[in-house]
Amino acid sequence: GIEIIKKILEKKISNKYYCFNVSSGNAISSYKISKTVCEVLNSKSKIIRSKQKASIQNCVLNSEKIINFLKIKKFNLKKEIINEVR
């Protein structure tokens, strides 16, 4: 996670603007991300789900553009979260 942001900030870009999706390429809910963070931190926090339906459901972003731009390998979002919170 942080290494990717660092690479973007350090990359010299000639007078163009770029927009990137950063994802694992797999569908993952914010609830699952929250559970992973709580598990890694051994937190007893209670995650409260909203009763409101999301306007976009089951959306999977394509990270190929940023992977090619930064010449990085695909990454596992869950492992990146675990590495960042430790």
Side-chain angles (χ1 to χ4, degrees), residues 17-68:
Y17 295 94
Y18 294 94
C19 180
F20 298 107
N21 290 324
V22 178
S23 76
S24 66
N26 299 309
I28 184 167
S29 69
S30 55
Y31 177 78
K32 286 183 183 179
I33 293 170
S34 302
K35 287 277 291 177
T36 300
V37 171
C38 286
E39 287 169 10
V40 171
L41 294 175
N42 293 319
S43 171
K44 302 209 185 319
S45 296
K46 183 177 179 181
I47 301 169
I48 301 171
R49 292 185 178 195
S50 172
K51 293 183 185 353
Q52 190 175 20
K53 289 283 186 190
S55 59
I56 300 174
Q57 295 184 2
N58 301 323
C59 179
V60 179
L61 300 176
N62 183 335
S63 296
E64 292 299 320
K65 185 176 177 182
I66 194 165
I67 288 169
N68 293 331

